[in-house]
Amino acid sequence: MSGRAFYALDTRARAANSPAFTARYRVTDSVFLRACRREPVPYTPIWIMRQAGRYQPEYRAIRSKVSFVELCKNPDLACEVTLLPVEQLGVDAAILFADILLVLEPLGIGFEFTKDDGPNIPHPVRTAADVDRIVEDIHAADSLGYVMESVKRIRAGLNGKVPLIGFAGAPFTLASYAIEGGGSKNYPKTKQFMLTDEGLWNALMRKLSRAIADYLNAQIAAGAQAVQLFDSWIGALSPADYARYVQPHMKSIFDSLTPGIPTIHFGTGNPALYPLMKAAGGTTIGVDWRVDLGTTWDLLGHDVGIMGNMDPAALIAPREVLKRRADEVLASAGGRNGHIFNLGHGVFPEVTVDAVRALVDHVHEASAR
Ligand code: CP3
């Protein structure tokens, strides 16, 4: 496609959902994948972390019948909830419906979701014997075969409309669950583990990293067109500790991934880590709302893409405030190639579907070029 034809596109045909758009561009030319490659786009692509979830009445209806883990393990239902926000909101990418904790099962660590408290790891990893017992090679294509089946069904269901993002949890974030036994505020046991026996910590991180790379490559082989690594709780670390205890493991994952597939490296909580995260890998860095996106991008350099970073709270603010906040993010990105609009972290369950739809429409319209 010539650049001129791309830009000459009628405004009304610009929304990724419009038949005119899908008829005209193959999915390799999708706005999202183009932004991943830092190529020019007719408008800024947007997707929303946790775009399938409890804020949707349809999701809540499905969840009233099956548990969260059952939902993750049922490819028909996982496919249904993955496609829902694509149809409902007009976002520019789908994200596989699954959870970062699923990989703990084939690793032999295990997990459960309790009714009120969220994730629980009944047998936390605390000793050398615990690390020793962790499975060396998980063969994700088989042990997490239900995820690969979901990926295949989602790709078929999307039928080229928008690309599919696969994902996994990053090793520090996964280790924090495995060691604490669940969610945590200060990560005391994780840090005690890390600071007490560096060799054992590295052994644990190596096993997790190997499994994560295998899992992501299996998702790519099944049809995921981009992958995101969620290091949601990495902000608990200082830059020096990140560089010493985490960065080499992150780098080993990025170095093991199937070449040519866009990789989003997402982290929250400590802006000082972003340059170190970039050095570890990722074609796009996902940043939270605690930073100014443009300033952070200047600091990282424009040889990497950036994703983010509206405060999720803007979606529960009055509509004019929501639009102003979206405009501020777009202005901060300055229309540069390589910006993917997202929230700085997951959408709140309190948000209405109408508000998210208004955001998606506004970003498409306000960023049209
Ligand atoms: O983004 C998407 O729409 C794709 C699906 C997705 C889920 N979890 C579904 C989910 C993704 C990408 C995740 C990643 C995930 N899971 C992360 C990293 C992203 C982040 O938000 O930081 C983390 C830390 C987890 C672990 C996890 N899963 C926790 C702590 C919880 C309980 C808290 C909560 O928000 O409910 C979950 C449950 C979970 N994962 C839900 C969904 C839709 C809610 C489950 C329900 O239906 O009750």
Side-chain angles (χ1 to χ4, degrees):
M1 160 182 54
S2 80
R4 197 170 281 275
F6 196 74
Y7 284 104
L9 203 61
D10 185 276
T11 328
R12 281 162 302 165
R14 277 174 172 154
N17 259 348
S18 85
F21 187 94
T22 39
R24 214 154 156 173
Y25 301 109
R26 288 175 302 117
V27 80
T28 48
D29 293 314
S30 82
V31 177
F32 171 79
L33 289 175
R34 290 181 68 89
C36 286
R37 298 190 297 258
R38 289 181 289 114
E39 293 167 4
V41 285
Y43 58 84
T44 303
I46 171 172
W47 68 278
I48 308 283
M49 284 186 275
R50 293 284 178 94
Q51 63 191 21
R54 283 165 301 190
Y55 76 99
Q56 297 167 299
E58 296 86 348
Y59 177 87
R60 293 196 297 270
I62 292 171
R63 275 282 284 108
S64 69
K65 294 186 214 114
V66 295
S67 73
F68 173 63
V69 176
E70 282 168 335
L71 179 49
C72 290
K73 292 187 173 180
N74 180 323
D76 277 328
L77 289 177
C79 177
E80 187 180 334
V81 296
T82 300
L83 298 181
L84 190 63
V86 175
E87 287 148 13
Q88 203 169 49
L89 307 172
V91 285
D92 298 288
I95 180 157
L96 166 69
F97 191 86
D99 198 84
I100 62 165
L101 299 177
L102 297 175
V103 74
L104 296 181
E105 199 165 80
L107 280 165
I109 299 171
F111 73 95
E112 60 189 24
F113 272 89
T114 59
K115 246 194 154 49
D116 318 301
D117 314 321
N120 178 46
I121 284 75
H123 306 288
V125 177
R126 302 269 166 82
T127 65
D130 294 336
V131 174
D132 236 34
R133 267 196 296 275
I134 295 173
V135 172
E136 193 72 49
D137 192 346
I138 65 164
H139 298 288
D142 305 318
S143 62
L144 291 160
Y146 61 89
V147 173
M148 309 317 147
E149 191 52 40
S150 298
V151 169
K152 287 177 195 155
R153 289 188 201 192
I154 296 163
R155 278 299 301 274
L158 285 169
N159 194 23
K161 196 176 197 179
V162 295
L164 172 63
I165 306 167
F167 72 92
F172 177 85
T173 293
L174 279 179
S176 78
Y177 283 104
I179 297 169
E180 300 295 334
S184 178
K185 195 164 182 260
N186 294 321
Y187 309 96
K189 295 186 177 72
T190 309
K191 290 190 176 184
Q192 187 179 42
F193 191 120
M194 188 177 89
L195 299 172
T196 300
D197 187 338
E198 190 167 0
L200 192 60
W201 169 261
N202 282 327
L204 170 62
M205 293 294 275
R206 263 196 295 274
K207 280 186 161 178
L208 293 176
S209 301
R210 220 178 135 198
I212 291 160
D214 176 45
Y215 183 33
L216 288 175
N217 283 333
Q219 291 179 34
I220 293 165
Q225 292 149 293
V227 291
Q228 174 158 330
L229 265 164
F230 283 92
D231 217 347
S232 303
W233 312 139
I234 196 61
L237 294 187
S238 69
D241 282 345
Y242 181 83
R244 176 165 180 161
Y245 297 102
V246 177
Q247 196 187 32
H249 301 288
M250 291 302 287
K251 187 167 182 333
S252 81
I253 296 175
F254 284 106
D255 289 348
S256 317
L257 294 180
T258 310
I261 295 289
T263 49
I264 304 169
H265 187 176
F266 170 75
T268 77
N270 182 1
L273 300 181
Y274 291 133
L276 298 167
M277 285 170 51
K278 181 199 172 193
T283 52
T284 300
I285 305 298
V287 302
D288 72 24
W289 67 93
R290 294 171 182 90
V291 295
D292 176 72
L293 183 137
T295 312
T296 306
W297 206 357
D298 289 343
L299 183 80
L300 291 175
H302 297 280
D303 56 342
V304 73
I306 200 155
M307 184 182 84
N309 72 337
M310 196 179 75
D311 188 336
L315 280 165
I316 46 175
R319 208 49 63 86
E320 350 38 286
V321 178
L322 167 63
K323 288 183 180 170
R324 192 166 69 234
R325 289 301 182 92
D327 288 340
E328 284 164 10
V329 171
L330 290 171
S332 191
R336 283 200 185 85
N337 296 337
H339 177 221
I340 297 165
F341 198 107
N342 207 318
L343 306 179
H345 206 163
V347 61
F348 299 161
E350 294 81 1
V351 163
T352 66
V353 171
D354 267 357
V356 187
R357 196 186 287 119
L359 171 67
V360 172
D361 288 346
H362 182 73
V363 167
H364 283 159
E365 284 160 24
S367 68
R369 30 218 192 240

